[in-house]
């Protein structure tokens, strides 16, 4: 089967941006990504847009907005994808399917979200759309409350791991200092992250503010091309494998601490790629909350269930550890504009593989993993990327 490659990308800073809407955010990366790839609008055969929205804006139909900044794309088929916090990966995987099916040679993927224009209380309610509202819609603290309950269940079963969560937060904030796109480029240190204070209160106990990813605006774009086209371009990052596994939506119908869909996605990815975790040089994983990263250590197979603390205590996930996790700073430091996140995570991996990650760089990175999830480990995407040229 022919493989599609990532041949170019673009990325805005994440944070509270002056850009007024998703349209302007997408305009800021679409043309830049095409230029980075070395292709023009006339080469694009399909457009795939990842925007969750769900109430962030009354304006929908985001797929049609890409052509507003690039009129040459007006007649190119364009489709919007939505899959909660994995919206960006859904758009990317659909573009890969499009190219690998032979329906087109080049596809443009754009992920974006404008979140900061809404009051925090409204944003919290919108994000609850990524949960099962029939059972979880009244969760105090919004989506942070959903993960707060997951953390409570985990602690009841395996012991209080608040210290380990604080060390994950401190690690990602320390890494984020080196990321020019990150919303929060500040090393808070373990002591601050571990303490409950006026500046670091409980958001949804046992999760503190430093345990929660940021409300963000931002966009990222990727250009995907078939093998023949990629061979003519400057760079080519291929997927050794990519896997998408779903799990049941209501937390009441599964073990909320198991992340079983994520585990299955990682197992399939390793088997299909013919690799072990020791073959990976880094992983960008979905730390929407620090408890998510802790459980993801277990889901990816680094340690057994309940032993995620070992990854923290042994320094396995540190930049100089056996498997660096989130050298970009992750969602915790970089920010989490929902529709852009999956695209951004793949861009971060591509920068590493091209040896263009600056102070984030993991030396001699040749194989990178990406894990992006929608909801509480409902839509689970695992990519293993390698550089072809």
């Amino acid at each position: 089967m022919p493989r599609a490659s990532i041949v170019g990308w673009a990325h805005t800073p994440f944070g509270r941006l002056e850009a007024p809407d998703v349209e302007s955010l997408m305009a800021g990366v679409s043309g830049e990504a095409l230029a980075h790839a070395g292709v023009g609008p006339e080469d694009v055969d399909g457009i795939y847009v990842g925007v969750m929205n769900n109430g962030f804006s009354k304006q929908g139909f985001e797929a049609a907005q890409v052509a507003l900044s690039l009129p040459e794309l007006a007649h190119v088929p364009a489709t919007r994808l939505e899959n909660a916090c994995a919206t960006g990966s859904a758009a990317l995987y659909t573009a890969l399917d499009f190219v690998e099916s032979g329906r087109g040679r080049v596809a443009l993927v754009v992920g974006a979200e404008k979140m900061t224009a809404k009051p925090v209380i409204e944003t919290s309610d919108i994000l609850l759309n990524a949960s099962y509202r029939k059972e979880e819609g009244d969760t105090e603290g919004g989506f942070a409350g959903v993960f707060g309950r997951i953390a409570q269940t985990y602690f009841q079963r395996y012991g209080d791991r608040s210290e380990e969560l604080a060390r994950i937060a401190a690690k990602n904030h320390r890494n984020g200092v080196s990321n020019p796109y990150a919303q929060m480029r500040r090393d808070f240190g373990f002591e601050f992250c571990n303490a409950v204070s006026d500046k670091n209160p409980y958001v949804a106990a046992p999760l503190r503010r430093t345990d929660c990813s940021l409300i963000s605006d931002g966009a990222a774009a990727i250009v995907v091309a078939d093998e023949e086209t990629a061979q003519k371009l400057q760079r080519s990052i291929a997927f050794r494998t990519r896997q998408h596994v779903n799990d049941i939506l209501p937390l009441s119908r599964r073990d909320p601490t198991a992340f079983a869909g994520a585990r299955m996605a990682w197992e399939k990815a390793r088997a299909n790629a013919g690799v072990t975790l020791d073959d990976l040089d880094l992983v960008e994983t979905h730390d929407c909350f620090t408890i998510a990263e802790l459980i993801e250590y277990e889901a990816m197979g680094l340690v057994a269930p309940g032993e995620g603390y070992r990854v923290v205590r042994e320094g396995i996930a540190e930049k100089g550890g056996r498997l660096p996790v989130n050298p970009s700073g992750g969602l915790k430091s970089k920010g989490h504009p929902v529709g852009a996140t999956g695209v951004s995570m793949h861009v971060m991996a591509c920068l590493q593989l091209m040896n263009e990650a600056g102070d984030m760089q993991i030396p001699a990175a040749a194989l990178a993993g990406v894990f992006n999830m929608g909801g509480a480990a409902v839509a689970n995407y695992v990519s293993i990327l390698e550089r072809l040229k």
Side-chain angles (χ1 to χ4, degrees):
M1 177 179 174
R3 289 200 298 174
S5 297
I6 295 173
V7 295
W9 53 82
H11 200 298
T12 71
F14 284 178
R16 186 177 292 273
L17 305 183
E18 293 183 1
D21 50 29
V22 162
E23 177 188 333
S24 56
L25 287 167
M26 293 194 299
V29 292
S30 298
E32 185 179 339
L34 295 175
H36 186 248
V39 299
E42 68 279 3
D43 299 309
V44 177
D45 301 308
I47 302 166
Y48 295 88
V49 171
V51 177
M52 188 182 84
N53 196 339
N54 273 329
F56 284 123
S57 171
K58 289 184 178 180
Q59 174 65 63
F61 208 179
E62 291 88 355
Q65 295 178 40
V66 175
L68 297 182
S69 64
L70 292 169
E72 303 94 325
L73 298 177
H75 302 297
V76 176
T79 305
R80 174 202 167 199
L81 285 298
E82 186 276 318
N83 218 7
C85 303
T87 288
S89 289
L92 175 58
Y93 277 32
T94 305
L96 292 165
D97 290 342
F98 170 76
V99 171
E100 290 176 350
S101 73
R103 293 172 55 211
R105 288 182 173 274
V106 176
L108 172 64
V109 181
V110 188
E113 211 75 63
K114 178 71 178 181
M115 301 174 70
T116 65
K118 292 284 186 182
V120 172
I121 191 168
E122 288 187 41
T123 296
S124 296
D125 185 62
I126 290 168
L127 292 174
L128 267 176
N129 289 328
S131 67
Y132 189 54
R133 277 195 173 271
K134 288 182 179 180
E135 296 180 3
E136 300 154 16
D138 62 349
T139 303
E140 185 176 353
F143 212 61
V146 172
F147 274 85
R149 291 181 180 180
I150 292 172
Q152 289 172 3
T153 303
Y154 188 95
F155 287 6
Q156 289 166 2
R157 186 174 300 173
Y158 300 118
D160 188 329
R161 298 302 178 195
S162 296
E163 178 179 326
E164 283 77 16
L165 298 190
R167 292 192 182 279
I168 290 171
K171 167 184 71 75
N172 290 345
H173 277 295
R174 184 167 58 252
N175 290 349
V177 171
S178 300
N179 188 344
Y181 303 108
Q183 179 171 351
M184 188 69 73
R185 299 183 67 184
R186 182 177 176 185
D187 183 355
F188 286 98
F190 164 69
E191 296 299 335
F192 179 84
C193 294
N194 196 41
V196 177
S197 64
D198 290 342
K199 292 185 178 180
N200 191 30
Y202 282 122
V203 175
L207 301 181
R208 300 144 295 198
R209 182 176 291 164
T210 50
D211 292 307
C212 306
S213 60
L214 302 160
I215 295 171
S216 317
D217 309 327
I222 279 174
V223 179
V224 172
D226 65 6
E227 287 183 284
E228 183 179 346
T229 303
Q231 289 173 2
K232 303 172 185 176
L233 300 175
Q234 183 176 344
R235 64 190 66 79
S236 175
I237 305 294
F239 288 74
R240 177 79 66 91
T241 189
R242 55 187 176 96
Q243 302 292 328
H244 173 197
V245 175
N246 260 51
D247 206 343
I248 195 74
L249 178 59
L251 287 168
S252 64
R253 303 186 198 179
R254 55 189 166 101
D255 181 350
T257 70
F259 283 21
R263 180 178 296 277
M264 289 176 63
W266 271 107
E267 288 172 351
K268 288 185 176 184
R270 292 196 306 272
N272 187 266
V275 301
T276 69
L277 292 180
D278 288 334
D279 295 313
L280 299 182
D281 297 297
L282 68 127
V283 168
E284 287 289 331
T285 203
H286 193 102
D287 61 319
C288 50
F289 301 93
T290 52
I291 185 63
E293 181 166 331
L294 185 74
I295 297 174
E296 285 159 20
Y297 295 156
E298 301 167 10
M300 72 173 71
L302 273 174
V303 288
E307 296 185 0
Y309 72 93
R310 288 182 45 219
V311 177
V312 179
R313 293 185 183 178
E314 296 171 19
I316 293 170
E318 297 285 344
K319 280 186 73 173
R322 177 163 64 89
L323 181 60
V325 176
N326 286 335
S328 71
L331 285 57
K332 179 80 257 316
S333 176
K334 176 162 58 77
H336 184 21
V338 177
T341 289
V343 182
S344 168
M345 296 173 82
H346 285 83
V347 171
M348 293 298 111
C350 287
L351 288 171
Q352 292 282 353
L353 297 174
M354 292 298 297
N355 197 33
E356 296 174 355
D359 291 337
M360 297 184 286
Q361 187 67 49
I362 302 301
L367 207 60
V370 175
F371 173 71
N372 180 209
M373 73 181 183
V378 177
N380 303 280
Y381 292 79
V382 173
S383 304
I384 296 181
L385 301 170
E386 59 185 341
R387 179 179 177 179
L388 297 186
K389 63 179 294 191

